Amino acid sequence: MDISQIINAVINIHPWHTMVVHFPIGLTAAGFLFILLARWRRNESLEHAAFYVITLAAISTIVAAVTGIRDNQVRFEGTAPFATVKIFLGMTLFLLTTVMAVTRWRRREVLWSPATTVLYLAGFAASFLLAITLGFFGGVILYGI
Amino acid sequence: MKRSWWKTGPSMKHTQSVLRPSGGQLLRQLALLGLILLIWGGLLMLFSSATGAPSPASVAAVDAPTPTPPAPTSVPPTAPTNTPPATSPAIASTLTTPVATSTQVATPMTASSPTAPAATVTRAATSTSAAATPTTQAVPIETPAATATAPAAEPTAGSSFSGAVLPIFKQVCGKCHGGEKVEEGLNLLSYADVMRGSDNGPIVVPGDAANSLLAQQVESGEMPKRGPKLLPKQIQAIVEWINAGAPNN
């Protein structure tokens, strides 16, 4: 196999989305765990970790979305099942994680303030739920119902 | 870069006391949460109806009662087969070279002796290629029909149509080539349809995987066009089946 074949495989054939999607799923799960532990243990370090993790989740969601659209075109000729629903859920996940990361960046007491703590925790839970729902649809595409 | 861009703020100690939300605060947050969910749900419905995509709820409802597809080993054999079982000692001892024939002629089984299935199987010698002729006959079979024309090679697990190949077609190819959707006129869900081929002609040349369009397409990765490609083991099963003469076993 020469180098051009490898480059062609990487660019045109190999699916990327299936690899990348594990990042937002794992990061939102970790973020949810960290924020619950931070609230329970009243631990500042865990709260910081949750903030960094949800920021990474927002970034990885963009990458997953781009690779997903690319794989849909390359491997499914734009006819992948649930593509539109996944795009909607993916956009929601990106917006949610971004809003949470920016809010936490601008208001570092967001977890500890009684006026926002429930919303902030719910945001982590919702982002995790969205990520695993997207993962479920991906599994249906790959392995069937 | 200023340090304040990445610094998360001064160290704060919450070990002493973290205020719990009062009833009013909790209610306000829950109401806001419900409102956001309501708006989001409405947007999802609008989006789904506008694009014609199924909503997650409807998909989940469909998921629940659907049984899992049967395992490859549970697929029942297709209607009357005209090839002997893989363990037939008569076939195993008789032929060592694959026979390439494009048609199979089945004669009724007499079932008068244990060797009857092997003896009653005949193949029309329609191919003129060298591979179409049996080259080695180790032990002649007493039954005349079997000595004249006999099935291809020793069938293996990988060359079984109903056991190895058909499950692959059903699982991977059937979405586009079978059932309601038959692209290019190719239906892969039955032996007869596979052998009939597509609008472009036959896709299987029995005994010659290299010249079979089916094998070429799956080996090159051109098919399946949508979804995950076949695993090497699955491709091997198809190639083995074609090279074994594409029997209906």
Side-chain angles (χ1 to χ4, degrees):
Chain A
M1 179 180 279
D2 62 15
I3 190 71
S4 64
Q5 282 180 301
I6 296 172
I7 292 170
N8 180 53
V10 169
I11 294 173
N12 295 324
I13 299 172
H14 198 83
W16 284 94
H17 185 64
T18 42
M19 293 188 292
V20 175
V21 286
H22 295 92
F23 285 94
I25 295 171
L27 288 168
T28 50
F32 186 41
L33 176 70
F34 285 154
I35 207 70
L36 286 179
L37 286 174
R39 189 68 176 82
W40 177 40
R41 306 300 300 168
R42 298 174 186 180
N43 189 311
E44 193 80 18
S45 300
L46 285 169
E47 193 273 338
H48 284 188
F51 164 57
Y52 294 133
V53 161
I54 208 69
T55 307
L56 282 175
I59 295 166
S60 64
T61 301
I62 302 173
V63 181
V66 170
T67 53
I69 291 166
R70 175 260 187 194
D71 279 5
N72 185 23
Q73 298 301 323
V74 171
R75 299 184 67 82
F76 291 89
E77 296 179 336
T79 61
F82 312 119
T84 47
V85 171
K86 287 191 77 184
I87 288 170
F88 181 83
L89 295 178
M91 283 192 310
T92 308
L93 178 62
F94 171 67
L95 283 174
L96 181 61
T97 49
T98 303
V99 165
M100 286 166 59
V102 170
T103 305
R104 166 60 184 80
W105 172 41
R106 305 307 297 172
R107 289 190 61 192
R108 34 182 193 272
E109 74 283 2
V110 65
L111 176 65
W112 313 114
S113 167
T116 53
T117 184
V118 173
L119 276 177
Y120 193 55
L121 288 170
F124 273 90
S127 61
F128 175 54
L129 283 175
L130 277 171
I132 59 172
T133 304
L134 281 160
F136 169 76
F137 281 120
V140 170
I141 294 171
L142 271 187
Y143 306 111
I145 293 176
Chain B
M1 184 186 290
K2 286 184 180 177
R3 191 161 179 261
S4 60
W5 276 89
W6 54 269
K7 194 179 175 191
T8 56
S11 176
M12 295 172 70
K13 301 294 180 190
H14 294 283
T15 51
Q16 297 303 316
S17 64
V18 174
L19 291 176
R20 293 189 173 203
S22 64
Q25 286 172 324
L26 190 63
L27 207 62
R28 268 198 298 277
Q29 290 180 76
L30 289 176
L32 188 57
L33 204 59
L35 187 66
I36 291 170
L37 273 176
L38 205 64
I39 293 169
W40 181 81
L43 282 175
L44 180 59
M45 292 299 168
L46 275 177
F47 191 81
S48 298
S49 60
T51 57
S55 68
S58 66
V59 173
V62 169
D63 293 347
T66 307
T68 54
T73 52
S74 67
V75 175
T78 51
T81 58
N82 53 5
T83 52
T87 54
S88 170
I91 299 303
S93 63
T94 305
L95 296 174
T96 56
T97 306
V99 179
T101 54
S102 57
T103 58
Q104 291 182 334
V105 180
T107 56
M109 290 186 181
T110 57
S112 58
S113 70
T115 58
T120 54
V121 173
T122 59
R123 279 173 179 258
T126 55
S127 172
T128 55
S129 66
T133 308
T135 55
T136 306
Q137 290 191 347
V139 180
I141 296 179
E142 293 176 359
T143 315
T147 53
T149 54
E154 178 182 352
T156 62
S159 64
S160 162
F161 179 74
S162 59
V165 178
L166 188 59
I168 300 169
F169 289 163
K170 280 183 177 174
Q171 184 189 350
V172 183
C173 316
K175 291 166 191 165
C176 300
H177 295 292
E180 297 173 358
K181 200 174 177 186
V182 184
E183 289 189 0
E184 300 289 328
L186 176 61
N187 188 338
L188 292 174
L189 298 188
S190 75
Y191 179 79
D193 288 327
V194 171
M195 299 311 289
R196 187 183 304 122
S198 69
D199 294 340
N200 303 318
I203 59 165
V204 173
V205 180
D208 190 2
N211 286 319
S212 296
L213 187 63
L214 173 65
Q216 291 169 359
Q217 293 279 309
V218 296
E219 281 183 321
S220 66
E222 286 186 50
M223 287 287 168
K225 201 178 279 182
R226 306 177 190 94
K229 302 299 175 193
L230 292 182
L231 299 171
K233 197 176 172 183
Q234 294 173 316
I235 296 172
Q236 190 187 354
I238 295 170
V239 169
E240 278 182 11
W241 170 69
I242 295 173
N243 280 333
N248 185 10
N249 54 357

